[in-house]
């Protein structure tokens, strides 16, 4: 075949461009340049972090360019929707470059945006536009491990003396006695796990005389960093500052109890991991108005403590919000009493992106809208920071035909379109929710009785009554299937009562100011009430209804 000189030139140019792009990608992924803090004032209102957050899987939120994959520009274009809902914060699931091409927890570059999500410029624009609407943005930082394809690990497997070798955890021989969640966590590099995406259980066995095992808490595709190496700690501190300097409002820190392991027995939640976590919190909060929440599944309340992470998801407690709505009296009790002892820095939710935390709320309550609303009210009206999982606000169902976590991670249902759900002009990367025809943003916006309007109302109470967002938590009680509590802040005093039962229930609220007037904040048109001279209010609640009352102060005794 005769060569075409012009084509040759074009190919040569393309190859040079590709090489330059690859170089810059590699340079970024292995760039360990220190990042000094650049501290500027936060544009967010005080206490923004006690407003409701939306957990957003960018891949599934909104596609702006028709490639079927959600992206940062799609999110920026829909910030008005979040503002209208009253959302004060966004948690972005990982947006950094990654090896998995889906959830993003296998990082290949800690300082760049996944190309399918956009660019650093798109990130900057998202932050600017969110701030303009009083919305803060925090993002996942996956600190414990890298992807096995991360250039740092690919260098490290070259052996001792290679760049980044001592950034990971190695053993000459296979250490005995280890088991993490039913798996042996040491892997031999000869098994090349990066070649076995999706079939990790079929890794070849290492040769009998193999030497050179690495450690991976979450599997062979995600090797743990060596946090005993100060260079590793410094690198992550610099990477955290990289995003904070751009205006990021904080982090959701992934799997922090797994930072450092002691031995085959003492591998989970070691004291050194807590020390490292506190350092991360201090670094982040060295910037004004920043927020940190940790994923610590075993002992979340310990990590919620200001002496450790200063915020943590309330795993273990959170399913009681749903079980109460399903009519379980023990869970009604747990809803009422949790915040009598838990730190008001805990983060609550009713479902997230992980199936171990539960199915989508729609599926947990079997599509019962009354129960759905009660589950939502429980956590949206309590202390801490509530996290709505994207799509939850419209009653989006899980895609039951998909395996593992995937049923939870479908495109957001924007419209009733059966093929795209209005999420993309192209072909969505994953099937849309099975109830897209009825439970989508467009239709729920038009229906005043919808789940969306209910979420907006509950979040609105949190935004307009400061005691609900961050007041004291007192006089809590559970009686049968009714839970009640009172909140106070700066002279504001509110009472929340939820009847989870299918029968009317009459309860007596105690500890109110004598003869206090109580007007109804929810339902808005319900009659005002008055406490007796002992500060008691006897009140009958309709089935599966809640009331939020605001104390208007005691009248003078006669
Ligand atoms: Ca896209
Ligand atoms: Ca670790």
């Amino acid at each position: 075949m005769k060569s075409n000189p012009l084509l040759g030139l074009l190919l040569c140019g393309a190859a040079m461009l590709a090489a330059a792009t690859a170089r810059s990608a590699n340079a970024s992924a292995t760039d360990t340049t220190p990042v000094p803090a650049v501290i500027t004032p936060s544009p967010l209102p005080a206490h923004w972090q006690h407003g409701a957050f939306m957990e957003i899987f960018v891949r599934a939120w909104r596609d702006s360019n028709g490639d079927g994959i959600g992206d940062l520009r799609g999110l920026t274009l829909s910030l008005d929707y979040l503002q209208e809902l009253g959302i004060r914060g966004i948690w972005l699931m990982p947006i950094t470059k990654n090896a998995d091409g889906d959830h993003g927890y296998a990082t290949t570059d800690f300082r760049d945006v996944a190309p399918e999500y956009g660019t650093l410029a798109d990130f900057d624009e998202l932050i600017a536009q969110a701030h303009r609407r009083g919305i803060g943005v925090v993002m996942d930082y996956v600190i414990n491990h890298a992807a096995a394809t991360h250039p740092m690990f690919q260098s490290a497997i070259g052996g001792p003396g290679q760049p980044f070798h001592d950034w990971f955890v190695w053993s000459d021989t296979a250490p005995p006695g280890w088991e993490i969640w039913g798996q042996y966590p040491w892997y031999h590099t000869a098994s090349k796990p990066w070649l076995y995406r999706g079939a990790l259980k079929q890794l070849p066995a290492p040769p009998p005389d193999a030497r050179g095992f690495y450690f991976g808490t979450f599997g062979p595709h995600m090797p743990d960093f060596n946090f005993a190496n100060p260079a590793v700690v410094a690198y992550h501190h610099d990477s955290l500052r990289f995003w904070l300097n751009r205006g990021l409002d904080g982090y959701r820190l992934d799997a922090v109890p797994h930072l450092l392991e002691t031995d085959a027995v003492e591998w989970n939640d070691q004291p050194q991991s807590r020390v490292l976590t506190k350092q991360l919190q201090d670094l982040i909060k060295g910037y004004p108005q920043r927020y940190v929440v940790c994923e610590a599944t075993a002992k979340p309340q310990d990590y919620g403590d200001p002496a450790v992470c200063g915020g943590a998801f309330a795993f273990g407690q959170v399913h009681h919000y749903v079980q109460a709505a399903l009519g379980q009296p023990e869970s009604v009790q747990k809803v009422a009493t949790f915040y009598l002892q838990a730190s008001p820095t805990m983060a609550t939710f009713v479902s997230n992106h992980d199936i171990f935390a539960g199915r989508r709320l729609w599926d947990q309550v079997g599509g019962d809208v009354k129960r759905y609303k009660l589950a939502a009210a429980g956590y949206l009206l309590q202390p801490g920071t509530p996290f709505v999982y994207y799509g939850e606000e419209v009653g989006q169902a899980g895609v039951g035909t998909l395996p593992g976590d995937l049923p939870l991670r479908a495109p957001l249902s924007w419209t009733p379109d059966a093929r795209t759900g209005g999420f993309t002009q192209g072909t969505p990367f994953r099937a849309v929710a099975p109830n897209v025809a009825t439970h989508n943003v467009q239709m729920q916006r038009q229906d005043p009785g919808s789940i969306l309007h209910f979420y907006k109302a509950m979040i609105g109470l949190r935004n307009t009554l400061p005691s609900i967002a961050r007041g004291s938590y007192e006089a809590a009680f559970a009686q049968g299937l009714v839970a009640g509590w009172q909140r106070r802040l700066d002279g504001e005093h509110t009472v929340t009562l939820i009847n989870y039962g299918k029968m009317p229930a009459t309860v007596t609220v105690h500890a109110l100011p004598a003869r206090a007037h109580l007007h109804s904040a929810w339902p808005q048109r319900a009659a005002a009430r008055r406490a007796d001279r002992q500060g008691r209010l006897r009140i009958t609640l309709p089935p599966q209804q809640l009331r939020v009352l605001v104390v208007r102060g005691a009248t003078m005794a006669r």
Side-chain angles (χ1 to χ4, degrees), residues 280-292 309-311:
L280 300 175
Q281 185 200 167
D282 289 346
L283 181 156
I284 296 163
K285 291 184 179 168
Y287 291 72
Q289 290 264 66
R290 292 327 199 257
Y291 173 66
V292 188
C309 181

Side-chain angles (χ1 to χ4, degrees), residues 144 215 217 224-225 227 258-261:
N144 175 67
F215 179 74
T217 300
D224 277 40
F225 279 108
F227 280 92
H258 301 291
L259 293 181
L260 266 169
E261 295 74 22

Side-chain angles (χ1 to χ4, degrees), residues 59 62-72 74 116-117 423-424:
R59 188 169 299 270
R62 184 170 169 187
D63 172 25
S64 72
N65 62 355
D67 67 358
I69 296 172
D71 44 59
L72 294 177
E116 68 272 30
Y117 286 180
F423 155 79
T424 178

Side-chain angles (χ1 to χ4, degrees), residues 135-155:
I135 297 173
V137 181
V138 309
M139 71 180 204
D140 243 301
Y141 192 86
V142 190
I143 185 166
N144 175 67
H145 47 265
T149 52
H150 194 298
M152 286 178 176
F153 186 69
Q154 289 295 306
S155 167

